[in-house]
Amino acid sequence: MRIAIQANSNASSQAARQKLIRGLKQDNFEVDVPHPEVVITIGGDGTLLSAFHRYADVLDQVRFIGVHTGHLGFYTDWRDYETDDLIAALKRDSGESTSYPLLDVLVDYEDGTTAHFLALNEATLKGTSGTMRTDVYVKENFFESFRGDGLCVATPTGSTAYSKSNGGAVIHPRLAALQMTEIASINNRVFRTLAAPMILAPDEWVSLRPEPFQDYVMSIDQFTAKPAMITAIRFKVAAEKIRFASYRHMHFWDRVEDAFIGEKKPDAL
């Protein structure tokens, strides 16, 4: 098995990386190859997001494993002190995996060029120096004229991140849906938006057509850019999926409980 390891710069992550490399090489795994079958990330969800974008062009060829060195993340199943157990699981590997939906983002620019992105969590478009103004379409049908700070379109796993902070629902990743949430929308006698999260079916898509000559910034997961003049952005459920090696993949609602509630009641007698 060919394995690549990506770790953040924290001392604990680097120490876990070195220990893992030594153990993998002792068991004759190919480590840190350019074309891996398994990508192990060590750090947190941010480290895994970086690895996802690094290998986004070969998602059908790789599975991911997250090792966390801090608080439990939504994409990390192992702790840094469990490297021996992880190596034992890799030795027993039979190709099992758990898949999560992704967000497909297609951007049209004023100069006629296009750009394509995949997001694991979410994509946003925000105004930077004033109110963002954009028309919103569902499929090809006009839905609303949005006025506010911005809009966020999230995957089911991304529903626990920035989307939730905007009042969005938490969606189980078995539902291949998209969720659009508003960021500080303006609602008065002149401007009117839905003022509620929208959950779109897998065969639907949402498009934004911002008014020209605005100052705005676009983000794909944790990466932000002040783009060239955008004429339209289309969001839909991606054909690709991310796959995690599911040796002991934690149940989604257990992750939600651990992250946001953190109090498990004893089993009822």
Side-chain angles (χ1 to χ4, degrees):
M1 182 185 295
R2 303 185 305 274
I3 298 175
I5 302 174
Q6 184 165 327
N8 65 24
S9 59
N10 291 342
S12 57
S13 298
Q14 290 298 315
R17 178 179 180 273
Q18 292 303 320
K19 182 180 178 182
L20 184 59
I21 289 174
R22 288 193 299 269
L24 289 170
K25 288 183 175 179
Q26 287 174 2
D27 284 296
N28 298 315
F29 288 96
E30 296 182 56
V31 182
D32 281 347
V33 292
H35 303 292
E37 298 168 88
V38 171
V39 176
I40 300 175
T41 66
I42 304 175
D45 283 346
T47 308
L48 193 137
L49 282 167
S50 296
F52 162 74
H53 285 279
R54 179 178 179 181
Y55 294 99
D57 293 336
V58 291
L59 292 177
D60 59 333
Q61 302 171 34
V62 299
R63 290 173 296 151
F64 292 83
I65 297 173
V67 177
H68 59 98
T69 54
H71 297 293
L72 176 65
F74 275 89
Y75 300 116
T76 53
D77 292 308
W78 299 82
R79 286 301 310 262
D80 51 341
Y81 52 76
E82 297 178 307
T83 53
D84 291 340
D85 294 334
L86 175 54
I87 293 171
L90 286 163
K91 291 168 68 175
R92 299 190 302 267
D93 180 84
S94 59
E96 60 265 42
S97 65
T98 298
S99 299
Y100 288 165
L102 300 172
L103 177 64
D104 183 290
V105 185
L106 184 66
V107 185
D108 295 329
Y109 296 107
E110 188 181 40
D111 61 4
T113 61
T114 62
H116 177 251
F117 305 94
L118 288 176
L120 178 54
N121 274 356
E122 74 277 308
T124 67
L125 187 69
K126 299 180 184 179
T128 58
S129 60
T131 300
M132 188 184 82
R133 304 178 301 279
T134 183
D135 288 340
V136 179
Y137 292 77
V138 177
K139 288 190 169 181
E140 300 301 329
N141 300 314
F142 174 76
F143 181 75
E144 67 180 14
S145 291
F146 175 84
R147 302 292 185 274
D149 285 357
L151 289 165
C152 170
V153 182
T155 66
T157 48
S159 71
T160 62
Y162 189 39
S163 178
K164 181 178 180 297
S165 300
N166 294 320
V170 175
I171 302 175
H172 196 286
R174 282 205 303 268
L175 300 175
L178 300 182
Q179 181 170 199
M180 184 173 74
T181 54
E182 300 177 355
I183 307 170
S185 61
I186 296 174
N187 280 280
N188 53 33
R189 290 192 300 173
V190 179
F191 303 119
R192 180 65 54 189
T193 70
L194 181 62
M198 291 179 63
I199 299 175
L200 288 86
D203 61 345
E204 297 181 322
W205 60 91
V206 62
S207 298
L208 308 182
R209 300 179 186 174
E211 290 185 0
F213 310 113
Q214 296 187 76
D215 189 15
Y216 46 68
V217 62
M218 180 178 65
S219 71
I220 305 292
D221 289 330
Q222 78 271 46
F223 302 103
T224 60
K226 191 171 182 179
M229 187 68 68
I230 290 175
T231 57
I233 309 177
R234 185 209 64 199
F235 306 95
K236 69 175 185 178
V237 176
E240 302 88 344
K241 291 186 176 183
I242 186 172
R243 297 184 301 143
F244 290 89
S246 55
Y247 307 132
R248 63 171 191 188
H249 207 60
M250 182 181 287
H251 192 278
F252 177 73
W253 294 117
D254 286 338
R255 294 178 188 274
V256 173
E257 186 276 336
D258 185 85
F260 299 113
I261 302 171
E263 286 188 19
K264 279 195 176 297
K265 293 182 179 180
D267 293 337
L269 298 178

